[in-house]
Each structure stands twice: as C-alpha cells, then as structure tokens.
Amino acid sequence: MGGDKSLVVHGVAVRAVSEINSADYDALVLVTAPGVAPPQALEDFVAAARLVDASLDKNAAVLACPRVSGGRLVLAPTGPLTAYDDVRSVGEAALAGVRRAAAAGAVRPALALQPHPTWPNAELVALLGALEALYVPLQIRESFPAQAHGLRALGVYGEGVRVPLDELLRDAAALELSRGVARDIGGADPERMAPGAVARYVQELFAGTSVKVRVLDDAAAIEKNYPLMAAVNRAAATVDRHRGCVIYLEYVPESYERTVMLVGKGVTYDTGGCDIKAGGVMAGMSRDKCGAAAVAGFLRACDLLRPALKVVAALGMVRNSVGEQAYVADELLRSRRGLAVRVGNTDAEGRMVMGDLLAEMAERAAGERAPHLYTVATLTGHAVRAYGEGYTAAVDNHAARGHASALQAAGAALADMLEVSTLRREDLAAHRGRVAGDHVHQADNAASSAMPRGHQAPAAFLLLVAGLEAGALAYTHLDVAGSAGCLPAPPTAAPLLALAAHYGLVRSKRDA
C-alpha cells in the first residue's frame, strides 16, 4: 500500500473513495439485488429509472446520472434471486458491471459496495468480482498488449459495509493477485507454460519472498523418486522444452500449529498418450495444469497474507505426449513405495503424476504438526458429469472425514463452490490388483464419465499408492475438472478461495 493508500492489482490502481461523485473517477458501478436498497443518495434516482425500464432489474445498463462520478451510473443487477441462489450472483454482477462500464468508455470506474442481508461476505465477493475484470491473460499482456482493456483505476466506495474498507481492499487485492497467478499458469497455452516455463515463472514470482522454491528436472532423479510420473514423462522428455519437472514450494511462518501439504497436477498438455483423445476432445487440454496452477496461487496468497500456517507443496509438471518412448497400457510399473502398478489407460495420467508425490508427502507428514494432505487436479470428466461446471468434487479419506464439508462451507461463503463425495469400499476394490502379483490397478480403459463412481475411484487409487488407506493421516482429494474453467471460459483458480477461507487467510471474512 502506497502513501496514497492505493493498491495496484494487475497494473490498475485500486483505492477507497469516500463519495459516489468523486472527480477522480468516470463512472459508478452499482450492484443491485432484491431486498437491497441503493446508497441513500441514489434511492430515488434508481426507483424512478425502474419505473421507466423494468428490465433494469435483469440486465446491466448505463444511465446518465449527474450525482455520480463521470455522470455515468452502471446498474449491475443480480437478477431475481430464490432460496437456491448463492453469493455467486453478487460477484458475477460486479464483474459484469465493471466490464459494462469499460464497454461504455469508462477507464476509471468506481464500485459501490453494500451489505446483503443473506450473505455476510457479499461485499468481499463483489469486490473480488470487480477485481477479476482487471485481469488480462498472460499471453495477451506479453504479445498483444493493444488488445488489453484500457482500465487505469478502480475506486471502491462502501456504504454500510460490515468490515473496514481497507481490510476488504487488502484481502481482495491479495486474493485476486493470487488468482492471477493461477490464471497465468493455467490459462497460458502448452508452449508458453510448458513444464520448464512454469518452473521459471514460479521462480521469478517467488524470488525474494517468504516462499522457498526448488525445482527438480533431472530425469534420473525423477525416475528414482517418482517412477509413476517418470512413465508419463517418457515421451515428452525426448523434447527438451517439454521435459517434465517437479516444483517444490514451502511457506513456513515463525509460529504455526497446522501444516497443509498439497500435490498439484500440472499436465501442461494431455493428448491422452497412446490411449489418444480422439473425436475432437483434445482441444482445451492445456487446462490440465489448473490443479498445480491453483496450488501455486494459494502459495502466493500465503506470501501476501501471511497466515500462521505451514504450507508445503509439490507441483508435478509434465506433458502427456505420444511417441516412440510413450508408456502404454499393460505396463507393470514399480511405484515409489514398491507397489506393482498395472497401467490400464494412459489417459489416466494425472493420478500417475501425483501418486508418488503424494506418497512422499505422506512420508514427510510424520514430522509435521497436524498435517493435512491434499491432491488438487483436473482429474476426471466424471466430476463434471456428476456435479456440473463450477463445482469442485471433494473426497475425504477415513481420517479426514468431515473436512470436505467444512471446506465446502468455507468455499460457499466466498463463491468457490464444492460438493462432497464419499469414498466407499467399491472404490478401493476397483483399484486393487487384478493380475496375479499386481498390487494396484491404475485404470479401466474407458472414459471416467462412462464409469460408475468415476471421480471417487481415482481418489482411491491415490489413497492406495500413497499408503493412506489406513492410519491417521488426513487426506482430501479435490477434483477441479468442473470448477477450474474449461476453454473458452477463463481459468477460475478454484479451489484457492475455499482453501484461503478455511485456513484463515481472509481476515475480513464474515462467517455465514
């Protein structure tokens, strides 16, 4: 925060303002919702406008209004709300409102924040939605800057907000900058964010910060320590820029009582391998690195917000390519823990990338304080089929049971939605060895969306490979295939906000 108490988010100055008609801004964005009165100075104006145009409660509009900055009032309605709606409606309206202001020619809009009677964190969610409008994709910034939006500043006005405005700004700015990291990594194309490029981006991002970075890109060391990942990497490793790596991140505050241990799936492009994705379904597979991207973003949030929480992460960055060195179905591999793993489908590479990394985290957990292990991955089409777009599937092991529900509640408060799934005996049975001498069956040779329990069972594979089916180590698998953002939609950084809310990074958050 500078001397003028402004922040810079994605190159745009963000600052609190004390009036709705500040001369420093050229439009005012007002999110409207049923049961929420506009700021007092605008109540009669908005009421009169609604008498003229009933659609103002459904569609964003720009009205000439001499009472606000720039004489432009942008009404951004949530639309009608029912008992089944949630705080996402507020964030979506704020995002649409800032974009509408920009389309109208505003370059310095202000946003009016108001509390909502149903959603205690509506102000923070609205601010996050507005800040999202400031983000410009990495490759547009680098190669096509003329196509970027022209916004130069964002003012934030609060009337009746339940927490100090400077706290809201601080938290929202940090979270949006962190989501920007996840969007940069997850949204860039397979060449701009090939494994080594991701490593360089992360090293530059965290240079001189509280987060330590280490990169392992030696093929022999990966083969020795993470043989399942090494199998996926074999075909890609023949092309230098596609060669896989592991990125280790660690944030350790002076005082902490809990440890979060995260493994992120970072498949920079997924062809399906020898079980190739045919029929036009390969497009969009550059987003298969969004799990690792979200984990990197969460570490950025830890650096900016400094929670009393130790965080250890491993990002498995690899490309699932096709070639003469590619791994194939029927191969029998020896895992880090010495298990015989039979490959059934090379398009089930995500669990292979994460399995040995998770096993290593389980080994390390014995020396950590109150550890909780996670895998975060765009893992299965079944998660999308089961819950739809916009929802993360959360699966606890026996020792973590109940944690997914707590994470679901934390995410819902900040519009980062999760659904809770349960591991059953059938899931473990589906991945026990089927050939004499095999310990683990990797996958059936069919799409997960066509399989019963197609997103729960892969969590069981990870459980078995890492040795987490027994004992007291808490583990939660987060399948973000439905929530991470599929092309052409932008990456979302899910489940970054849910993790941040659950682990106390958001100091301005109000519990529902």
Side-chain angles (χ1 to χ4, degrees):
M1 190 171 285
D4 64 349
K5 298 197 179 212
S6 64
L7 299 155
V8 177
V9 179
H10 306 319
V12 177
V14 180
R15 191 171 187 268
V17 297
S18 59
E19 53 194 8
I20 61 173
N21 60 351
S22 169
D24 293 332
Y25 298 91
D26 58 7
L28 180 74
V29 177
L30 175 63
V31 174
T32 62
V36 178
Q40 187 173 6
L42 294 174
E43 276 192 273
D44 62 328
F45 181 89
V46 173
R50 283 171 170 156
L51 290 176
V52 175
D53 185 355
S55 73
L56 293 179
D57 287 331
K58 298 178 182 178
N59 305 309
V62 182
L63 306 178
C65 178
R67 305 181 193 180
V68 302
S69 297
R72 279 185 285 209
L73 177 63
V74 181
L75 295 183
T78 62
L81 299 174
T82 72
Y84 297 95
D85 286 288
D86 54 67
V87 75
R88 283 178 295 178
S89 298
V90 173
E92 290 161 358
L95 171 61
V98 175
R99 287 178 173 168
R100 183 66 183 88
V107 295
R108 301 175 65 85
L111 171 73
L113 293 179
Q114 301 173 98
H116 191 281
T118 303
W119 303 311
N121 299 294
E123 302 101 313
L124 178 56
V125 172
L127 185 49
L128 285 168
L131 293 178
E132 183 178 344
L134 309 183
Y135 176 77
V136 176
L138 176 68
Q139 288 177 275
I140 300 300
R141 300 197 309 265
E142 292 178 340
S143 302
F144 306 97
Q147 297 181 25
H149 63 68
L151 296 178
R152 296 198 293 270
L154 177 71
V156 182
Y157 170 80
E159 184 166 299
V161 295
R162 289 168 281 202
V163 295
L165 196 53
D166 62 338
E167 288 188 19
L168 282 171
L169 286 172
R170 177 200 59 215
D171 285 352
L175 291 174
E176 174 53 28
L177 288 169
S178 303
R179 291 197 298 178
V181 168
R183 293 191 205 107
D184 280 356
I185 296 172
D189 76 24
E191 292 299 324
R192 175 59 184 88
M193 281 296 172
V198 176
R200 290 187 292 275
Y201 175 96
V202 170
Q203 288 171 321
E204 292 173 7
L205 173 71
F206 290 116
T209 72
S210 63
V211 175
K212 295 181 180 178
V213 180
R214 180 170 64 90
V215 177
L216 175 67
D217 60 4
D218 179 72
I222 292 174
E223 172 70 33
K224 177 182 177 182
N225 292 289
Y226 315 114
L228 300 182
M229 175 181 168
V232 180
N233 185 48
R234 276 192 340 226
T238 62
V239 179
D240 186 63
R241 69 182 186 278
H242 294 165
R243 189 175 67 247
C245 65
V246 181
I247 304 170
Y248 308 92
L249 304 171
E250 187 170 85
Y251 165 80
V252 187
E254 291 184 5
S255 175
Y256 67 94
E257 297 300 327
R258 294 187 292 178
T259 305
V260 173
M261 309 183 79
L262 299 140
V263 175
K265 175 188 174 184
V267 176
T268 60
Y269 200 75
D270 181 17
T271 67
C274 289
D275 286 295
I276 200 158
K277 291 180 183 291
V281 298
M282 202 183 298
M285 286 299 106
S286 60
R287 294 289 178 84
D288 217 9
K289 56 189 181 310
C290 281
V295 172
F298 181 66
L299 267 294
R300 178 59 167 159
C302 290
D303 177 55
L304 294 172
L305 294 169
R306 302 298 175 95
L309 177 78
K310 180 176 179 179
V311 183
V312 179
L315 314 181
M317 308 306 306
V318 65
R319 179 175 171 127
N320 191 19
S321 294
V322 186
E324 60 186 7
Q325 296 294 330
Y327 85 121
V328 296
D330 296 346
E331 280 195 47
L332 186 64
L333 303 171
R334 182 183 178 89
S335 76
R336 178 186 178 91
R337 295 181 59 242
L339 300 176
V341 177
R342 180 77 62 176
V343 177
N345 185 348
T346 64
D347 197 19
E349 84 295 333
R351 66 196 73 178
M352 301 282 282
V353 172
M354 295 188 295
D356 286 333
L357 291 169
L358 182 62
E360 182 180 49
M361 287 291 190
E363 295 164 11
R364 291 188 56 181
E368 300 291 351
R369 303 174 196 170
H372 196 113
L373 280 64
Y374 293 89
T375 43
V376 185
T378 49
L379 206 64
T380 65
H382 188 274
V384 187
R385 180 68 62 88
Y387 295 129
E389 293 183 6
Y391 295 89
T392 296
V395 189
D396 286 337
N397 76 338
H398 67 287
R401 197 156 293 163
H403 177 79
S405 295
L407 197 62
Q408 180 187 48
L414 293 188
D416 193 356
M417 311 305 288
L418 292 87
E419 298 286 11
V420 178
S421 290
T422 304
L423 274 177
R424 303 291 184 185
R425 61 183 184 181
E426 291 86 353
D427 302 319
L428 275 73
H431 286 284
R432 304 225 183 253
R434 300 176 184 179
V435 178
D438 291 3
H439 298 115
V440 181
H441 172 68
Q442 177 237 18
D444 288 332
N445 198 8
S448 67
S449 56
M451 298 294 295
R453 305 186 63 80
H455 73 268
Q456 296 97 327
F461 170 88
L462 290 164
L463 201 77
L464 293 170
V465 167
L468 296 172
E469 73 275 22
L473 272 181
Y475 162 61
T476 301
H477 170 61
L478 301 174
D479 190 334
V480 297
S483 59
C486 295
L487 281 170
T492 66
L496 190 159
L497 293 180
L499 290 169
H502 179 76
Y503 284 109
L505 276 67
V506 185
R507 287 165 287 187
S508 64
K509 174 179 167 289
R510 289 289 183 260
D511 293 326

